[in-house]
Amino acid sequence: MNVVVLLGAPGAGKGTQAPLLAARLGIPVVATGDIFRAAVRDGTPLGMEARRYMDAGQLVPDEITVKLLLDRLARPDAAAGVILDGFPRTGVQAQALDKALAERGQAVSAAVLVDVPADELERRMSGRWICRASGHPYHETFSPPKSAGVCDLDGSDLYQRADDRPETIRARLDQQLGALTEVIDHYRASGVIASVDGLQGIDAVGAAIDVALSEHGVAPLAGQVS
Ligand code: AP5
Ligand code: MG
């Protein structure tokens, strides 16, 4: 079973790479940000709670996020492996994931950092549009949709995230980069960290992720085309 963690600062390109990698590896993506945004859209108690933190550019507390993620990992579609986008985001979350996987005789296979310098992150987030149905990301300059305002993949309309306002972008970068360092250190200590240059084009970043994963023994499931 492959458990792949995609790490990166806000706007680094995790959500762009995750579905492409999922298609290559034949395992699903679990993205905590997408789960929180769906809960906000549906007006659930989880969504109302999470929104307070998201709108302020802060991380949602570990006790809420860990439970949500572990419940999601227990679903049958994650049994053959999973790509985690946006989790873990703190040392506490990384330890909780290790513990839950160890109880199933499993472990994180690889944690790939998509490395992008801070000045570029702001540019990426401020030009981002995502689709309403599944959160597929586009960028008005770097990765525009074929038809303005419409998702290439599922035809739903594109919108700008509430937390991509300039002041919230700055708050996310100020408040979340320290915790990312904790998570990188955690996976460096367990020997599963890899880093790819996220400043390259989207296809080149994907190719670099594939190389990094194969060095950690992560290969497509039998029958999948890589
Ligand atoms: P989340 O949705 O996870 O947001 P994030 O980590 O801030 O990351 P983003 O989604 O902003 O960036 P990304 O790396 O996915 O970049 P993307 O591919 O879109 O979390 C949102 C909030 O939820 C958090 O702030 C927090 O409040 C809460 N939360 C979520 N998980 C949590 C957790 N575990 N614990 C606590 N709280 C949690 O790309 C960005 C843009 O760049 C796009 O426009 C894209 O088209 C473009 N782009 C991508 N790659 C390239 C490239 N190679 N070249 C040029 N442009 C590119
Ligand atoms: Mg994302």
Side-chain angles (χ1 to χ4, degrees):
M1 174 193 180
N2 290 320
V3 178
V4 174
V5 173
L6 280 184
L7 295 175
K14 306 178 297 294
T16 298
Q17 295 297 330
L20 302 171
L21 181 60
R24 299 198 294 276
L25 292 181
I27 52 178
V29 177
V30 171
T32 39
D34 288 347
I35 298 173
F36 286 137
R37 275 184 291 281
V40 169
R41 183 194 60 212
D42 295 344
T44 66
L46 170 72
M48 285 188 277
E49 177 72 3
R51 185 177 192 164
R52 290 172 37 211
Y53 299 96
M54 295 169 80
D55 284 354
Q58 294 169 355
L59 293 174
V60 177
D62 286 334
E63 55 273 25
I64 298 175
T65 311
V66 166
K67 179 173 186 326
L68 175 94
L69 189 278
L70 297 185
D71 287 350
R72 177 64 187 85
L73 278 193
R75 292 199 354 219
D77 68 331
V82 71
I83 296 164
L84 297 177
D85 162 5
F87 186 98
R89 294 276 262 271
T90 64
V92 169
Q93 292 180 15
Q95 285 160 17
L97 177 63
D98 283 355
K99 182 166 175 280
L101 291 173
E103 283 164 6
R104 293 155 52 167
Q106 295 156 355
V108 169
S109 318
V112 183
L113 171 67
V114 180
D115 195 15
V116 174
D119 53 351
E120 174 72 5
L121 298 169
E122 216 163 314
R123 210 144 50 108
R124 289 196 180 178
M125 284 186 274
S126 55
R128 172 168 51 192
W129 291 78
I130 64 169
C131 87
R132 210 167 289 284
S134 312
H136 296 123
Y138 295 87
H139 190 281
E140 53 200 26
T141 310
F142 307 136
S143 173
K146 292 193 181 89
S147 171
V150 180
C151 179
D152 294 348
L153 299 174
D154 55 34
S156 74
D157 65 311
L158 305 183
Y159 73 100
Q160 290 194 288
R161 276 170 41 177
D163 59 351
D164 279 346
R165 284 187 295 259
E167 64 278 17
T168 318
I169 289 175
R170 278 191 294 276
R172 287 158 67 199
L173 294 174
D174 285 351
Q175 296 181 43
Q176 297 188 18
L177 293 184
L180 173 63
T181 305
E182 261 179 45
V183 179
I184 293 169
D185 289 346
H186 178 93
Y187 289 122
R188 183 171 292 122
S190 56
V192 295
I193 194 81
S195 178
V196 301
D197 175 6
L199 267 183
Q200 309 171 85
I202 291 170
D203 291 346
V205 174
I209 290 174
D210 286 351
V211 170
L213 289 179
S214 69
E215 287 169 2
H216 285 274
V218 177
L221 289 179
Q224 295 291 325
V225 179
S226 81

